[in-house]
Amino acid sequence: MRVLRITWRQRSARIALAVLAAVAVLAVAGGTLAPGDPLAQHPADMLQGPSAAHLLGTDYLGRDVLSRVVSGTGLSIGGALEAVGAALLIGVLPGLASVWLGPAVEWSTQRAADTLMIMPFTVFAIAVVGALGNGVHQAMLALGALFAPLYFRVTRAAALGLKRAQYVEAAELMGASRRWILRTHVWGRILPTIAVTTAQVAGQALLVVSSLTFLGLGVKAPAPTWGGMLASDLGYLAQQPWAPLVPGAAIMITVGALNLLADAIRDGGAAPVTRTHAPPRATAGPPPGRPAPGTGTPVGTSTPSEEAERRVTTG
């Protein structure tokens, strides 16, 4: 909660969340908010510029560009989120297991993560789609498997530092179960790190999803996607040189907002804890060894009569 409060105080975080909220609304209700049918073709209006009827113009089949951009938000963002969700499941749990379940699990999970890290995104996704069929879920599962090593390493590094903490070792000595230790002492402290990683991976996943749909993988035409619109617009640059800017700007703004949010969360998690109380004040009075006001006897010492009385009493 402290990280969330510190993050919300940053202006960059509020701007990023506002942009992402607008994108989320378009992703959920894009078909309803679109001014027209994104699949309706009007050959008489092909490659038209912006006008009152078509605010962003039309494409090579006379389809409204604004309607296609708004309607394509759901498929583009939904695919990226599906890849991130798969990466979370595949990466976070093995990362925790590699720390707490012994050397055998640690060795096997590290070797699996190393194997996935060396595979190129696009080639691996094409191979999976070719083996399992050209579908959005197959492509996103492949992307999730390739993003999982990042979650694995981040989670493992954070859990290793917490496992050596004194309060975790004390809980183990007291007989606390691993599930209780993970739920109480570990999970809440690695969540900010996972949140930063999720924001970064979501931006990268959106870029990869757009690249796959640009190549025609994952989503079949004529379903509108940002990457698919880029691919179709590149064939008509002579007639509309500005056309790729519309889906490209949508991708750039969304990825930029995700990266901005990741930086804000990282800054919030790294912010030092400020003191909420002042240090105790020193008690008023002269320092020891100096005469007290109005007397000739230093503070902390006794007079000769007091010394004599003490010797008589103890004797």
Side-chain angles (χ1 to χ4, degrees):
M1 295 301 294
R2 182 183 67 87
V3 175
L4 294 178
R5 289 194 299 268
I6 297 175
T7 303
W8 179 252
R9 295 193 190 113
Q10 303 180 50
R11 183 181 179 185
S12 60
R14 295 195 295 269
I15 295 174
L17 289 174
V19 173
L20 294 177
V23 173
V25 171
L26 294 179
V28 174
T32 305
L33 299 176
D37 187 356
L39 303 179
Q41 302 180 11
H42 303 283
D45 298 329
M46 292 189 303
L47 300 175
Q48 297 295 319
S51 62
H54 306 284
L55 296 179
L56 295 179
T58 58
D59 64 359
Y60 66 101
L61 293 176
R63 297 172 295 192
D64 184 65
V65 173
L66 178 59
S67 300
R68 291 182 62 79
V69 170
V70 173
S71 299
T73 305
L75 289 175
S76 301
I77 299 299
L81 292 180
E82 186 175 354
V84 172
L88 274 169
L89 293 177
I90 301 174
V92 173
L93 296 180
L96 292 175
S98 67
V99 178
W100 299 94
L101 296 184
V105 176
E106 179 182 9
W107 184 89
S108 59
T109 52
Q110 284 186 316
R111 300 293 79 75
D114 293 340
T115 303
L116 290 174
M117 285 186 67
I118 65 175
M119 294 185 178
F121 285 88
T122 306
V123 176
F124 183 74
I126 292 174
V128 171
V129 168
L132 302 180
N134 188 10
V136 62
H137 301 296
Q138 293 89 327
M140 296 309 105
L141 180 61
L143 290 183
L146 293 180
F147 281 120
L150 180 58
Y151 279 102
F152 173 83
R153 292 187 175 275
V154 168
T155 305
R156 173 177 167 78
L160 277 174
L162 292 173
K163 186 178 181 181
R164 301 187 183 98
Q166 292 183 354
Y167 53 85
V168 173
E169 294 179 351
E172 291 178 343
L173 293 176
M174 295 294 291
S177 63
R178 290 175 179 173
R179 180 180 300 178
W180 186 88
I181 293 174
L182 291 173
R183 185 179 66 252
T184 305
H185 294 304
V186 177
W187 183 247
R189 289 173 172 82
I190 67 174
L191 272 181
T193 304
I194 294 177
V196 173
T197 306
T198 300
Q200 292 178 335
V201 170
Q204 297 176 12
L206 180 58
L207 292 176
V208 177
V209 168
S210 300
S211 301
L212 293 178
T213 54
F214 180 88
L215 298 175
L217 299 176
V219 179
K220 299 179 181 179
T225 58
W226 292 346
M229 293 181 64
L230 274 175
S232 62
D233 291 336
L234 290 180
Y236 300 90
L237 289 178
Q239 293 81 8
Q240 287 185 336
W242 49 267
L245 295 177
V246 178
I251 298 173
M252 180 184 66
I253 292 173
T254 306
V255 174
L258 288 169
N259 291 334
L260 197 63
L261 181 61
D263 293 339
I265 297 175
R266 184 187 299 109
D267 294 341
V273 180
T274 57
R275 297 182 63 93
T276 57
H277 59 277
R281 296 182 178 179
T283 55
R290 293 192 178 182
T295 65
T297 306
V299 177
T301 60
S302 56
T303 61
S305 59
E306 291 174 346
E307 291 291 339
E309 183 178 355
R310 185 182 299 112
R311 285 195 297 268
V312 172
T313 304
T314 56

